[in-house]
Amino acid sequence: MIPDTLAQACRNVLLTAEPREKVRAAREAARGWRRGRLAHVFDVAMPDRPARPEAPELLPASRMPKRGRGGSERGRIAMLHALAHIEFGAIDLAFDLVGRFGGDFPPDFADDWIGVGADEAMHFALLDRRLRALGGGYGAMPAHDGLWEAAEETAGDVLARLAVVPMVLEARGLDVTPATVARFEAAGDRRSAAILNRIFTDEIRHVRAGTKWFVSRCQSQGFATIPHWQRLVRRHFRGAIKPPFNDSARDQAGLSRDFYLGVAASKDV
C-alpha cells in the first residue's frame, strides 16, 4: 500500500528490514513529504521495534569483539561496519521520532527530522558501498542494539528522546569523528575519510535540530532547559558522558558546555 499520511510513511520505513529497501523507503518518504504528497496526519502507531535483517547478528555490547583503532585494513573495515550499523539504526530513530511524536508539533518539526532520516539513509548507503569496495559489506560482522535500546527507554517522552538521542548519542559522534578521520587519512584511506567528514558535517546539523526542538519544547512547557535536560539524561541515559568534548562542533550545534559539564565524568573536563 502506498502511504498517503506521514505516519504511514514513517511506519513503512520502520517495518522495512532489508537495508537497501529501508534506504529506498526513507528516500521515498522524504520525497513524498517534500512534494506535499503526505498529509500531516498521524493515523497509525509506530511499532515497538523496527524490522531487522537476518544479518548482522545483534550481540550485547559486552560481547562485541574489539575493533582496534583503524590502522590495519581489517580494523578500518570493522570501524566502517560499526559506523554503518549506527547509521542504519539512525534511519529508524529519525522516522520513529516523527511518527511517534510528530502530531504534537507543527509541520516544520517533520521537515527537520524527515531531512535527518534522509541524511542517515544516505550515510548508510555511502558506508555500505565503501565496505563493499573494501571486500566487506553490511551484515558481515556482529553489531549491538544500543541505539534502539535508547529509543525504547525514551518512547514515552519526546523531551527524553531529544535529550538522549541527538543531544547525547549523536553529540558523541562530534567528539570522536575527527580523530577517526585522522586515523583513516594516516592509513592512506582518503575515500573513507571523506565519507566520515561528510557525516560529521551533517551530524552538527542533526544535533542542532535536537537542541532547537528540545529548547523550544521546554520553553513551551515551562521547564528550565538545562536543568531539565540534565535530569532527563541522568534518568534515561545508561552510559557515561565522557570527555574530551569537541566544544567547537557542539557550540555550532547549539549544545553549550553548560548542558553537559554538569553531568559529564569529571576526569579531564
Side-chain angles (χ1 to χ4, degrees):
M1 182 182 71
I2 298 175
D4 55 15
T5 71
L6 191 54
Q8 291 171 14
C10 291
R11 181 177 171 86
N12 187 47
V13 174
L14 289 161
L15 292 180
T16 301
E18 199 280 324
R20 293 184 184 182
E21 290 300 317
K22 188 180 289 287
V23 168
R24 184 176 294 111
R27 289 171 172 167
E28 288 176 354
R31 189 180 305 115
W33 175 247
R34 287 196 303 267
R35 295 180 179 178
R37 295 199 298 259
L38 297 174
H40 190 254
V41 171
F42 298 86
D43 54 342
V44 293
M46 296 304 103
D48 292 335
R49 290 188 59 82
R52 286 286 179 259
E54 292 184 5
E57 178 187 9
L58 297 180
L59 298 176
S62 60
R63 290 180 52 204
M64 285 292 295
K66 299 295 184 183
R67 291 196 301 267
R69 299 183 64 83
S72 67
E73 181 171 304
R74 180 179 177 82
R76 294 197 305 277
I77 290 173
M79 177 64 72
L80 291 172
H81 189 279
L83 294 172
H85 182 66
I86 290 171
E87 299 297 331
F88 186 71
I91 300 171
D92 289 323
L93 288 172
F95 284 94
D96 183 76
L97 179 62
V98 175
R100 189 174 299 274
F101 300 112
D104 297 330
F105 290 88
D108 50 344
F109 179 86
D111 290 343
D112 281 349
W113 294 107
I114 292 291
V116 169
D119 284 348
E120 309 294 18
M122 179 265 291
H123 296 165
F124 172 79
L126 289 172
L127 289 165
D128 185 46
R129 188 179 306 133
R130 183 60 183 148
L131 281 167
R132 293 177 187 278
L134 292 170
Y138 180 63
M141 297 178 177
H144 65 81
D145 203 27
L147 277 181
W148 195 255
E149 290 172 1
E152 290 177 328
E153 173 66 26
T154 59
D157 182 352
V158 68
L159 281 173
R161 177 69 63 86
L162 292 168
V164 170
V165 175
M167 298 175 73
V168 172
L169 297 177
E170 288 201 72
R172 182 59 178 160
L174 304 183
D175 301 332
V176 302
T177 299
T180 306
V181 169
R183 289 197 293 271
F184 275 79
E185 289 178 338
D189 190 349
R190 296 189 179 278
R191 289 188 180 182
S192 297
I195 293 170
L196 299 188
N197 266 324
R198 170 63 185 273
I199 292 172
F200 175 76
T201 299
D202 290 342
E203 297 294 354
I204 292 175
R205 188 174 69 257
H206 299 176
V207 177
R208 186 187 305 127
T211 305
K212 176 185 80 174
W213 286 107
F214 183 86
V215 170
S216 173
R217 184 75 165 183
C218 281
Q219 291 173 344
S220 69
Q221 295 193 339
F223 292 120
T225 301
I226 291 174
H228 193 57
W229 182 83
Q230 292 174 347
R231 282 193 297 271
L232 290 171
V233 169
R234 291 188 180 103
R235 184 181 307 153
H236 295 286
F237 182 58
R238 299 176 184 175
I241 298 179
K242 301 176 182 178
F245 300 111
N246 186 341
D247 291 327
S248 175
R250 284 171 174 256
D251 282 345
Q252 291 179 61
L255 192 59
S256 70
R257 289 171 67 88
D258 293 338
F259 278 94
Y260 49 91
L261 290 190
V263 295
S266 60
K267 183 180 179 181
D268 297 327
V269 175

